[in-house]
Amino acid sequence: MKLSEFKKALQTVDGVRFQTPAGSDIPAHFHITEAGLSTKHFVDCGGTIRKESAVSMQLWTAEDYQHRLSAEKLLGILNKVGSLIGDDDLDVEIEYQSDTIGRYGVEFSDTHFQLIPKQTDCLAKETYGIKPSVDTIKAVQMNPALTACSPGSGCC
């Protein structure tokens, strides 16, 4: 989910609710302990230099059960993050504690935000003769910016 979509969804709710991938509600007294720009600059296994950026928020719960974050206050937090990301409409990632810090995508469903598991992937499948999945091919065709190795670019 892009930041613009996240903000738009916040404008339709009174309270902010998140659910884990298993469908459990994250306690309503959660805090946003961090919000900002998360950037990963790396070399994939095929030798291509890549850079990924996302708006990241960390959810945390404590024992202050009366705490509630309003949609309006979360919008204010995200507006402050705007100074870090400029005009980019980046994906939103949520960090939440599981066995370790879990990083999730997010989708909006009627009244709550659903945490979506993220998966590892090889970004240089062509180098190793691994055919990309049909879903990957469709995603890249719809948005060539998803890969620095576009058809016809000579890098694959």
Side-chain angles (χ1 to χ4, degrees):
M1 169 178 256
K2 296 290 186 188
L3 180 59
S4 61
E5 297 167 313
F6 191 89
K7 286 180 171 183
K8 187 175 180 179
L10 280 175
Q11 295 171 1
T12 68
V13 296
D14 294 323
V16 183
R17 294 180 42 218
F18 286 93
Q19 277 188 341
T20 67
S24 302
D25 287 335
I26 291 176
H29 57 279
F30 72 88
H31 293 253
I32 300 286
T33 57
E34 298 176 5
L37 175 64
S38 178
T39 301
K40 181 178 167 182
H41 199 178
F42 60 101
V43 176
D44 70 22
C45 60
T48 301
I49 297 172
R50 298 179 186 264
K51 190 173 187 179
E52 297 175 353
S53 296
V55 173
S56 178
M57 289 183 282
Q58 185 178 85
L59 305 185
W60 177 73
T61 55
E63 295 181 18
D64 58 340
Y65 300 106
Q66 301 309 312
H67 178 271
R68 298 291 185 273
L69 181 64
S70 69
E72 183 179 353
K73 182 151 185 173
L74 183 49
L75 278 168
I77 292 169
L78 292 173
N79 286 337
K80 286 183 180 180
V81 171
S83 65
L84 299 174
I85 63 172
D87 293 331
D88 292 337
D89 193 17
L90 301 173
D91 286 327
V92 174
E93 287 185 347
I94 303 293
E95 293 181 354
Y96 187 65
Q97 190 69 41
S98 53
D99 293 340
T100 185
I101 298 173
R103 292 178 65 193
Y104 301 91
V106 63
E107 292 179 359
F108 186 67
S109 178
D110 296 327
T111 60
H112 62 275
F113 294 95
Q114 181 72 42
L115 300 186
I116 306 300
K118 296 179 73 86
Q119 303 294 316
T120 60
D121 193 10
C122 175
L123 301 176
K125 290 180 180 80
E126 299 82 13
T127 302
Y128 303 103
I130 302 169
K131 294 183 180 180
S133 71
V134 172
D135 290 339
T136 301
I137 292 168
K138 286 180 184 176
V140 171
Q141 287 172 341
M142 291 176 61
N143 184 3
L146 291 175
T147 178
C149 193
S150 301
S153 69
C155 69
C156 299

